[in-house]
Amino acid sequence: MPVLVLMTRQGCCLCEGLAEKLQALALPQAIEQIDVDGDAALQARFGLDVPVLVLRSPQGDQVLPRVPPRLMGDSLRVWLQKHGFSGQDA
């Protein structure tokens, strides 16, 4: 079953904002958060591009397009579904 992973870093207001919006969706499964600064490979890959959402599934990891910053609530839920994550899958 697919899992959403939020690539983030401490002190990033965009990361904190996206995390809050995702939590407000009350998805049946918690979003996994990974601080890219704790892993040199992730820091090299994502650098200053955070926040980044990754859809982790048995088929592998898929980096999702950047979430438009104004999306929230049902619009964010629809965006997630469009990109392969359904809250029912969690």
Side-chain angles (χ1 to χ4, degrees):
M1 76 178 83
V3 174
L4 274 180
V5 179
L6 176 59
M7 299 295 176
T8 186
R9 74 171 18 103
Q10 287 186 338
C12 170
C13 62
L14 294 174
C15 300
E16 293 166 2
L18 182 53
E20 289 173 8
K21 291 175 187 178
L22 291 168
Q23 289 170 354
L25 293 178
L27 299 170
Q29 182 176 1
I31 306 299
E32 183 180 341
Q33 291 190 42
I34 298 176
D35 186 335
V36 298
D37 292 330
D39 182 309
L42 291 176
Q43 188 179 38
R45 181 172 180 192
F46 297 112
L48 298 176
D49 291 335
V50 294
V52 173
L53 275 178
V54 175
L55 184 60
R56 184 166 286 160
S57 71
Q59 292 77 29
D61 290 357
Q62 174 188 355
V63 176
L64 300 182
R66 180 170 293 283
V67 177
R70 294 184 185 191
L71 280 186
M72 59 180 57
D74 287 337
S75 296
L76 179 55
R77 187 180 306 276
V78 168
W79 186 93
L80 289 169
Q81 290 171 348
K82 177 183 172 188
H83 291 287
F85 181 80
S86 169
Q88 286 75 18
D89 293 339

